[in-house]
Structures are given as structure tokens and as C-alpha cells.
Amino acid sequence: MHPRSLTKDYEFRVYEESGSGAMTGGPCPVVVMASHEGFQWNEELFVSPFRRVSGWRTQKSADRIEREHRVSTNASCIRQEENREQVVELHLTQADCDIWP
């Protein structure tokens, strides 16, 4: 495996109702990949709205946790260096504003 491979970069969610499980006769937990190698999975396809509202817990790979820590550390360093606000000026033509087909 390539040392910069993202195959170890993943996050998954476990949807289960609190206090229920297969041993008590309740519904089984649903495990859904939340993201892998930069791809965000659409859990709405696999988990009912009721299960999504009832709660879930997230598990992340060690590589993902380390990467998120590096990104947040770098972002805080950049924020400390930039003391002034940045302004982006957008110039739109009438054609850009015309969104109707």
C-alpha cells in the first residue's frame, strides 16, 4: 500500500436505540459508512428518519483523527497570523444573475 493512501481514512456511524439490542428483542443496530477516502455517504438511503433522530455514535479511524487534528492545528495557526478581515468582491453580469432557464 502506498504510504499516502487514504484507505485508512474512514468514519462510520452506528445507529441504535438506547437500551435496545438484538439480545433484548429490539431492532439491531445499523452500521453505515459516513465517509471513506473523501467520499461522503448519503445515510438517508440506508437509515430511516426515525433511526436517524433516535441517535447515533461515530467511530473514526486513527488516521482520520490524526488528520483532523493536523488540520485544526494548522487552521488555528493561520487564524492567529491573520488579524485583518479579508474581503472578496464579486462582480456579476446580468447573465450571471439570470438563473431561469
Side-chain angles (χ1 to χ4, degrees):
M1 184 179 335
H2 192 273
R4 294 184 188 207
S5 174
L6 297 175
T7 56
K8 294 182 182 178
D9 177 21
Y10 61 87
E11 174 183 351
F12 65 91
R13 293 185 180 142
V14 180
Y15 293 87
E16 58 187 343
E17 295 180 48
S18 59
S20 67
M23 299 301 274
T24 60
C28 296
V30 177
V31 179
V32 177
M33 185 67 71
S35 62
H36 184 252
E37 295 187 17
F39 181 79
Q40 299 292 321
W41 293 86
N42 185 357
E43 65 220 23
E44 294 176 1
L45 297 173
F46 307 105
V47 183
S48 70
F50 175 76
R51 294 293 290 266
R52 279 184 274 142
V53 171
S54 67
W56 48 269
R57 58 188 164 91
T58 300
Q59 298 290 324
K60 297 179 181 181
S61 65
D63 288 355
R64 174 163 283 240
I65 293 169
E66 179 184 338
R67 183 179 57 83
E68 287 177 353
H69 177 69
R70 278 194 318 251
V71 168
S72 67
T73 302
N74 290 341
S76 65
C77 291
I78 290 170
R79 271 187 251 119
Q80 291 173 358
E81 291 174 3
E82 296 179 354
N83 293 330
R84 59 186 170 92
E85 292 184 24
Q86 294 183 352
V87 177
V88 176
E89 190 172 333
L90 298 175
H91 297 280
L92 301 175
T93 64
Q94 184 60 33
D96 293 331
C97 296
D98 186 14
I99 60 171
W100 300 104

